[in-house]
Amino acid sequence: MRASDGATTTRASALSSTGTLGETHAPRTLAECVAAKKKVERVRAWLAKGGALCASGPSGCGKASAITCAAREFGYGVEEYAAATPTLWRERAHIENGDDGTRVEYSSKVDEFVAYCSRATKYAPLALTLTSTKTNESDGRSGGGTTSMMASRKVVLLIRDIPSSDANGRARVLEALRALAASRGGPPVAVVVTEEEERGGHRSGRSAEISAKDVRSVMEKAGAQIVDFNAATTAAITKALTRVCELEHFDMSPSDIDAIVQNSHGDVRSALGALEFWCFGKNRTGRTAPPTKRKRGEPKEAPSAVASARALLSSRDQGLGLFHALGKFLYNKRDTHDLMNIAGFETLDERLRRPPQRYDPEDVLARSGIGAETAVGFLFENFVDFVDSRSIEWVAAGERYLSDAFLLARGGVGSRGGGMASRGGWEDVGDDDDAVLDPNLVAEYTAGSVATRGVLFSSKRSAAGFLPMRGPRAAKMERAAATNSEEVRAVVAAALEGDFSVGGTTNAVATEMLPALRLIAGSSALGASLVPFLPTKWRHPGEDDAQFTARMATVPEGVAAPRPADLTKGVAHALDRGARGSHARPLTLDDLDDMEDDIEDASGSESDDAW
Amino acid sequence: MSAALWVDKHRPHELGDATTVNARTAKHLKLLIARGDCPHLFFHGPSGAGKKTLALAVLREIFGAGVEKVKLENKTWKIDQNDRGVEVELAMMSSNFHCEMNPSDCGSKDRYVVQEVIKEMARSRPIDADGIEGYKVLVLTEVDRLSREAQYGLRRTMEKYSASCRLFLIAERPSKVMDALQSRCLPIRVPGPSIEEIENLLHEVAKKEKLELPPELATRVAQASGRNMRRALLTLETCRVMNYPFKPTQAVQTTDWELYINQIGSEILAEQSPSRLLQVRGRLYELFVNCIPPEIILTNLAKALMKRVDVEVKHQICFWAAHFEVRMQRGGKPIMHLEAFVAQFMALYKSHLVAAFG
């Protein structure tokens, strides 16, 4: 019995006092951690080396615990960054008018975070243990002495709370993190970020918020260690729950624990919460449940329906990931048995007959929170792969549906500023009978329906197994085309002596002027002299921003056509349209010298006629 | 060295110069200006018909040679909108008497530009020697690509400032310009020149450039141009730099993207399957990135396909091409509608083949 152990007795009484199970039974050694062994090893390796670490992963997978445990193992203390209570603006305004004594300097959360980071890198040993050094300093000891003494107490810096702000604050926070990751010599720093589930239409609305991805890439570039945690495995959570049950003397059958684990979605925190909720107020058995070890190969006892339902009640509300939801549409699983029992199934036209689908497409869309536009984009990109190679007519039908759906989706979101297809919107539909429905919302809803049902109807699954999914490329192509069309205009304008407006419309410039310019420039020396520039800042399809910028960096100065913006920097670009053209001044002898090489027939007297 | 392209060099600068093409229209415009004032004008017609040239010639007729001294500016407009300021950047050419711009270049922010620019122009009216306040002219190109909001905005400001500002609107398709705007202007239709007119033009340019142009070549260049003067002149110049003296049998270059679309057409006809469709999608993206407008891709592709199929299928190609072109106009990602057209054609063609040959 481990009850004799001092630490365990204090933990056993936890429920009756304060703190949740998750807090009182946080793992104390690395062996107890739910994170995968490999990841834990990488955390240890980092701590042995020092420097910065960026741990990312879904919530409740044991990121912070792994770091804390590793720190304990190495004998480090953990200093967690605690965001100060922010000064309320109204409060500050009130106090500012008061006496000098009560004046409060305003500092935003971003300010404080940035200050904390720079303190951490600059005067690491002193500032971090400020509270404990206070007495020493008042003793009048020399600063050097304090530093050496404090350095002996080793500290790991843990940053879990990254402030969110507007775009400006965001840049400052990221810069602070970069500096933190790049600095050497300070205490080891661990930044823990939680990866949000990827959800289609959600990100656009909160672009200023710092995502785990941003932090991760910034810190990786600055040379920090990166550890990506995965969601905790079922086995690891089961182990953790069993451990807690033992310590707390809960009477839980393994199948009940399984039920909780299955509904925890790899989140230990939520699993422990569920366990606590379940066992709250129940009689303790007083004895430790006998560890019923399953033998290898022995089938698992499935959790009862009641237990599963109960576990679901206390589990985290889990949406569907983007790819998960799309998979449901694209793989298009249908119930093929008991078709005879469906009334009228046999009387349908054979071509239109479909077995009942397993999922309600609207429900899947609503749960995944993908906006209709995103859904259509993804389905369009991937749908063709999933259709049998012989049934092109169904591909055509599916694409017709998608084209319809996209029109509806665009009509829906266009006037609302785009990207407003929020999950809230989906849930609002039909909630309130009295309220007038926003017609845009209906269009959004319909678009989702048409797209998903259209794809489900027309995709005759090919026999192929797993197929990789692609993200929609259309937006990327549009951006590339926009960059290129700017370049086209610049090139044509340069060919027309800086006159950007006589080349025709943008369409004409791309379809008529540019191909001709290419041909003219490519054919002979005379042609090359007529066309000053050819497109150089040209984006290829499939090239991303980084590759493009990298390639552009190698293009020498002066080769690319100047953009209208460049022309007008400083001095406005002026030209006289009257000075050229068929009624321009006759060519001077100097001009002719230049041209003689190319034009054999040209002579001074003849060019007068051109006037 | 003034080595302008012919298409620019031989542009008529005055209404009187326009003798080969659009001569009648130019004459009428000249009479109109001679009466002293000028209404808002709306030039519409296909690409390369001479809309912009006529508009600039009218300007010269009104204001004289001074209007040709233009400078290029990249103007930044700051617009206060309720709570936040909007900044729009747009390149424009301007002289003391007019300015020209393409407001559709700034996408959905075009409505701010059209209103602000007219207001600004109205503030600085030119005064002539007699101290009479004149008007400035605003030349707007690609009006058919303006958003609805911008067109509404234009309508309001047009009336309010009509004393100090005249508008020359230029558009390819009048049907995309709202009626209210059209009715406030004098519409001037600039039709695409006939093949003969283009031939005459080519001979005229060749004469000015001291070149021997065989009539056969002129005919072929004119026919290849699709009644588009800009294209005809560019093609002729291409022929010139490629090979001179001209040969009557000389190759007339078509553009690279047209060849590419023809190739896509043959690929579609060769095989109709989902994997081929994906391949075509890649090619369509390639065209997009090279700035070929989707409507033009659709039209050309439909034409390329129609050349090589039976009559029954032709009707259906027309139907679906029209169907998806309307879709494209109404919104959404053009690739989706284009590919739907290709898929639809593949399905049609395959079932036709199966029916015909079993």
PDB file of all heavy atoms in Angstrom, chain A residues 4-12 28:
ATOM      1  N   SER A   4       1.008   4.759   3.014  1.00  0.00           N
ATOM      2  CA  SER A   4       1.966   5.153   4.037  1.00  0.00           C
ATOM      3  C   SER A   4       2.867   6.276   3.536  1.00  0.00           C
ATOM      4  O   SER A   4       3.407   7.030   4.325  1.00  0.00           O
ATOM      5  CB  SER A   4       2.817   3.942   4.423  1.00  0.00           C
ATOM      6  OG  SER A   4       3.449   3.445   3.270  1.00  0.00           O
ATOM      7  N   ASP A   5       2.977   6.368   2.240  1.00  0.00           N
ATOM      8  CA  ASP A   5       3.829   7.411   1.662  1.00  0.00           C
ATOM      9  C   ASP A   5       3.247   8.785   1.981  1.00  0.00           C
ATOM     10  O   ASP A   5       2.055   9.025   1.857  1.00  0.00           O
ATOM     11  CB  ASP A   5       3.889   7.195   0.144  1.00  0.00           C
ATOM     12  CG  ASP A   5       4.845   8.153  -0.496  1.00  0.00           C
ATOM     13  OD1 ASP A   5       6.042   7.871  -0.465  1.00  0.00           O
ATOM     14  OD2 ASP A   5       4.369   9.191  -0.983  1.00  0.00           O
ATOM     15  N   GLY A   6       4.128   9.682   2.373  1.00  0.00           N
ATOM     16  CA  GLY A   6       3.664  10.995   2.824  1.00  0.00           C
ATOM     17  C   GLY A   6       2.943  11.760   1.751  1.00  0.00           C
ATOM     18  O   GLY A   6       1.864  12.300   1.964  1.00  0.00           O
ATOM     19  N   ALA A   7       3.542  11.752   0.581  1.00  0.00           N
ATOM     20  CA  ALA A   7       2.948  12.534  -0.494  1.00  0.00           C
ATOM     21  C   ALA A   7       1.577  12.003  -0.862  1.00  0.00           C
ATOM     22  O   ALA A   7       0.661  12.753  -1.182  1.00  0.00           O
ATOM     23  CB  ALA A   7       3.869  12.489  -1.709  1.00  0.00           C
ATOM     24  N   THR A   8       1.433  10.720  -0.809  1.00  0.00           N
ATOM     25  CA  THR A   8       0.179  10.122  -1.244  1.00  0.00           C
ATOM     26  C   THR A   8      -0.949  10.424  -0.265  1.00  0.00           C
ATOM     27  O   THR A   8      -2.088  10.642  -0.672  1.00  0.00           O
ATOM     28  CB  THR A   8       0.336   8.608  -1.384  1.00  0.00           C
ATOM     29  OG1 THR A   8       1.642   8.351  -1.854  1.00  0.00           O
ATOM     30  CG2 THR A   8      -0.684   8.049  -2.324  1.00  0.00           C
ATOM     31  N   THR A   9      -0.644  10.446   1.014  1.00  0.00           N
ATOM     32  CA  THR A   9      -1.714  10.725   1.972  1.00  0.00           C
ATOM     33  C   THR A   9      -2.272  12.113   1.776  1.00  0.00           C
ATOM     34  O   THR A   9      -3.479  12.327   1.833  1.00  0.00           O
ATOM     35  CB  THR A   9      -1.219  10.583   3.416  1.00  0.00           C
ATOM     36  OG1 THR A   9       0.119  11.038   3.475  1.00  0.00           O
ATOM     37  CG2 THR A   9      -1.346   9.150   3.878  1.00  0.00           C
ATOM     38  N   THR A  10      -1.389  13.064   1.513  1.00  0.00           N
ATOM     39  CA  THR A  10      -1.929  14.414   1.308  1.00  0.00           C
ATOM     40  C   THR A  10      -2.766  14.437   0.043  1.00  0.00           C
ATOM     41  O   THR A  10      -3.763  15.131  -0.031  1.00  0.00           O
ATOM     42  CB  THR A  10      -0.794  15.445   1.170  1.00  0.00           C
ATOM     43  OG1 THR A  10       0.144  14.928   0.220  1.00  0.00           O
ATOM     44  CG2 THR A  10      -0.108  15.700   2.470  1.00  0.00           C
ATOM     45  N   ARG A  11      -2.366  13.669  -0.927  1.00  0.00           N
ATOM     46  CA  ARG A  11      -3.123  13.672  -2.170  1.00  0.00           C
ATOM     47  C   ARG A  11      -4.479  12.995  -1.973  1.00  0.00           C
ATOM     48  O   ARG A  11      -5.463  13.413  -2.548  1.00  0.00           O
ATOM     49  CB  ARG A  11      -2.369  12.896  -3.245  1.00  0.00           C
ATOM     50  CG  ARG A  11      -1.278  13.691  -3.884  1.00  0.00           C
ATOM     51  CD  ARG A  11      -1.088  13.129  -5.261  1.00  0.00           C
ATOM     52  NE  ARG A  11       0.321  12.898  -5.519  1.00  0.00           N
ATOM     53  CZ  ARG A  11       0.741  12.155  -6.541  1.00  0.00           C
ATOM     54  NH1 ARG A  11      -0.130  11.545  -7.310  1.00  0.00           N
ATOM     55  NH2 ARG A  11       1.997  11.992  -6.772  1.00  0.00           N
ATOM     56  N   ALA A  12      -4.511  11.951  -1.166  1.00  0.00           N
ATOM     57  CA  ALA A  12      -5.743  11.198  -1.015  1.00  0.00           C
ATOM     58  C   ALA A  12      -6.841  12.054  -0.418  1.00  0.00           C
ATOM     59  O   ALA A  12      -8.016  11.860  -0.710  1.00  0.00           O
ATOM     60  CB  ALA A  12      -5.494   9.979  -0.137  1.00  0.00           C
ATOM     61  N   ARG A  28       4.015  13.578 -11.105  1.00  0.00           N
ATOM     62  CA  ARG A  28       5.176  14.098 -10.404  1.00  0.00           C
ATOM     63  C   ARG A  28       6.473  13.593 -11.020  1.00  0.00           C
ATOM     64  O   ARG A  28       7.521  14.178 -10.821  1.00  0.00           O
ATOM     65  CB  ARG A  28       5.105  13.738  -8.927  1.00  0.00           C
ATOM     66  CG  ARG A  28       3.824  14.248  -8.266  1.00  0.00           C
ATOM     67  CD  ARG A  28       3.822  13.981  -6.798  1.00  0.00           C
ATOM     68  NE  ARG A  28       4.791  14.782  -6.077  1.00  0.00           N
ATOM     69  CZ  ARG A  28       4.592  16.056  -5.723  1.00  0.00           C
ATOM     70  NH1 ARG A  28       3.475  16.657  -6.050  1.00  0.00           N
ATOM     71  NH2 ARG A  28       5.505  16.698  -5.041  1.00  0.00           N
TER      72      ARG A  28
END
